[in-house]
Amino acid sequence: MAARTLSSWLTRPALKSMAHLRRLPSIPRQPNYAFLRSHYQSYTSAPFLSRLINIHPEVADAIANNRPVVALESTIYTHGALSEDFPHALDRLVREHGAIPAVCGVYAGVPTVGLQPAEIMRMVSEGAKKASRRDLAYLVGKGDKLHGGTTISGTMVLARLAGIRVFGTGGLGGVHRGGESSMDVSADLTELGRTRVAVVSSGCKGFLDIPRTLEYLETQGVLVATFADEGQERVEFPAFWARESGSPSPAVVRDEKEAAGIILAQEKLGIESGLLFANPIPKQFAIPRKDMEEIIATAVREAEEKGFTGNANTPYILKRIRELSQGKSVPANKALVEANVGRAARIAVELAKMLDGSPVTPRTVTTTTTTTTTTTSYEGFDAAGKPSAGRMINVESKEVEAKTKPEIVGFADLMKLP
């Protein structure tokens, strides 16, 4: 009787949608790890993800074949103050180093990995929300076809879901000055603590509390290693516009191959925290630390006096630094982003070599051409005019090495080179 009543209750029109619950497989009281694992894998498989994330075909092909890919954030375009041609410039830069660029963001409500320059320009013109980890589900699930320029945190989430290991950006967020009281700590730091992506940046923004930022990253289990110049003994963690911050780097890395080896080791060990590779700004674009400290102190003080906190704090401080530095921070910003993205691309290339065990064709290709010159001489001819059996043949071989710089569009073109 009770069973029939329940059955009739489920046939009510308003509750018909619940009937599928009866078809769910029963879950045993004791954990069945094989069951849980199979269901987890079904929800993290490529077909399921393809319904949630739009991955550009070129990027998807490169990921599937362990070719070098570099994730790029989109908030640098949607909320930055750089030129309109910057998306094209970074796209070319990554390709020149033999990798595929993958700009991440939310485009018209769809998480996208591999945004194209035209899509980025549309996001800029129509307006985009700054999207961290917390904002992704809101932008996607709301159904209003909203745009989202992903921060370092948001980009790491999408990159990890897509299977991208290396991410090049400008400067990391961190613990704000006075953060021990305000609890104003960037989500970038917690993201590094739980998402296995290698981030290449010029340290963190120079107006942050760098010693506390490094302490927080240590607590989160994040390796922080700074690229050092040859022969450099004391290596400091960089402060975005300045090459030194006064804080020693927790670890040091010498080149891209070394960085790639660390990334691969992290993956093989199954450690799920991220990696931060700090890349100091090129010397010719650096602003001396003492000059920046005075500018930063003024900008931070004004932000506090005017009540700029939370998400509004960083944009205001960056704007005032640009004004107080008389525009010097703008070319520095562009230079450090380009340096970081280029280095990220080179790391991705080295990592691709380690993953499949075969060399990746470099930009400059050395080809060897063999030219053969044959000289034939004969001792005599027979009655029919044919050479006699005693002929001699001398062969000279010469190898010519030539370096060419082919026009490279992407990694697929590299693979076609001889």
Side-chain angles (χ1 to χ4, degrees):
M1 178 67 178
R4 288 197 299 273
T5 303
L6 177 61
S7 177
S8 61
W9 183 69
L10 280 171
T11 59
R12 293 181 182 181
L15 297 169
K16 281 185 177 179
S17 61
M18 295 176 61
H20 70 282
L21 295 175
R22 293 177 294 176
R23 295 192 296 270
L24 288 176
S26 59
I27 301 177
R29 291 183 180 181
Q30 294 299 319
N32 184 329
Y33 293 106
F35 168 85
L36 295 173
R37 184 164 53 249
S38 65
H39 279 70
Y40 171 78
Q41 288 172 348
S42 69
Y43 283 99
T44 55
S45 62
F48 182 77
L49 282 179
S50 67
R51 296 197 295 271
L52 287 177
I53 302 176
N54 178 23
I55 303 178
H56 190 275
E58 181 187 30
V59 176
D61 179 70
I63 294 169
N65 292 284
N66 278 333
R67 294 170 185 163
V69 182
V70 176
L72 303 171
E73 62 172 287
S74 49
T75 193
I76 199 171
Y77 309 123
T78 59
H79 293 76
L82 300 172
S83 59
E84 291 185 2
D85 66 340
F86 204 50
H88 296 277
L90 289 186
D91 187 281
R92 287 193 301 269
L93 179 63
V94 173
R95 293 180 189 279
E96 285 173 0
H97 287 89
I100 300 298
V103 181
C104 300
V106 178
Y107 180 73
V110 180
T112 303
V113 177
L115 284 165
Q116 299 304 292
E119 295 171 326
I120 296 169
M121 288 300 100
R122 180 185 165 190
M123 291 170 65
V124 172
S125 63
E126 295 181 359
K129 180 179 173 60
K130 203 170 186 179
S132 184
R133 167 185 277 265
R134 69 169 187 182
D135 306 296
L136 293 174
Y138 174 83
L139 293 171
V140 175
K142 193 169 171 59
D144 291 341
K145 295 187 177 181
L146 300 172
H147 299 311
T150 49
T151 62
I152 289 177
S153 170
T155 302
M156 288 181 70
V157 172
L158 296 184
R160 182 72 177 93
L161 286 173
I164 300 173
R165 298 173 171 90
V166 185
F167 169 22
T169 185
L172 190 72
V175 179
H176 283 255
R177 300 187 184 196
E180 69 276 12
S181 302
S182 66
M183 296 299 292
D184 193 350
V185 179
S186 172
D188 297 347
L189 305 188
T190 51
E191 200 61 55
L192 275 163
R194 58 186 167 192
T195 304
R196 194 181 67 229
V197 173
V199 178
V200 181
S201 77
S202 293
C204 63
K205 306 286 195 308
F207 55 83
L208 299 169
D209 188 330
I210 292 178
R212 281 193 171 91
T213 296
L214 292 173
E215 288 287 350
Y216 195 97
L217 287 169
E218 180 184 356
T219 301
Q220 292 292 312
V222 179
L223 170 73
V224 178
T226 301
F227 281 98
D229 296 330
E230 188 175 350
Q232 185 179 358
E233 294 182 2
R234 177 180 168 80
V235 179
E236 293 187 9
F237 185 73
F240 202 58
W241 303 283
R243 290 177 61 85
E244 301 87 17
S245 65
S247 297
S249 178
V252 176
V253 64
R254 298 295 172 184
D255 54 33
E256 292 85 357
K257 186 174 182 179
E258 208 169 86
I262 294 169
I263 295 169
L264 186 58
Q266 183 93 335
E267 182 171 323
K268 294 292 186 184
L269 289 169
I271 301 172
E272 287 300 321
S273 52
L275 303 156
L276 177 62
F277 293 107
N279 187 38
I281 183 173
K283 292 179 181 178
Q284 64 270 32
F285 294 100
I287 302 176
R289 179 183 163 198
K290 290 183 179 179
D291 295 350
M292 285 306 303
E293 283 177 348
E294 185 176 344
I295 292 171
I296 289 170
T298 302
V300 171
R301 185 182 67 251
E302 290 180 2
E304 291 176 356
E305 293 172 351
K306 295 180 179 180
F308 286 95
T309 59
N311 289 342
N313 182 268
T314 296
Y316 176 81
I317 291 177
L318 289 174
K319 175 177 173 292
R320 285 299 290 142
I321 288 174
R322 185 168 65 249
E323 294 168 351
L324 293 169
S325 68
Q326 298 179 337
K328 291 181 181 178
S329 65
V330 176
N333 286 349
K334 184 178 179 182
L336 65 86
V337 170
E338 290 176 340
N340 298 339
V341 169
R343 179 147 251 168
R346 295 193 295 274
I347 292 172
V349 167
E350 292 297 331
L351 184 56
K353 294 178 186 178
M354 295 178 182
L355 286 166
D356 66 10
S358 61
V360 176
T361 309
R363 255 195 313 160
T364 301
V365 182
T366 302
T367 58
T368 302
T369 304
T370 302
T371 303
T372 303
T373 304
T374 304
T375 305
T376 307
S377 60
Y378 304 103
E379 290 182 347
F381 298 88
D382 58 18
K386 296 181 180 180
S388 61
R391 68 179 183 179
M392 295 182 298
I393 300 177
N394 298 322
V395 178
E396 294 180 347
S397 296
K398 183 180 181 182
E399 289 190 349
V400 180
E401 187 174 87
K403 289 186 177 180
T404 59
K405 291 187 178 181
E407 192 69 29
I408 294 172
V409 177
F411 193 89
D413 300 277
L414 283 172
M415 300 304 290
K416 296 175 186 176
L417 292 171

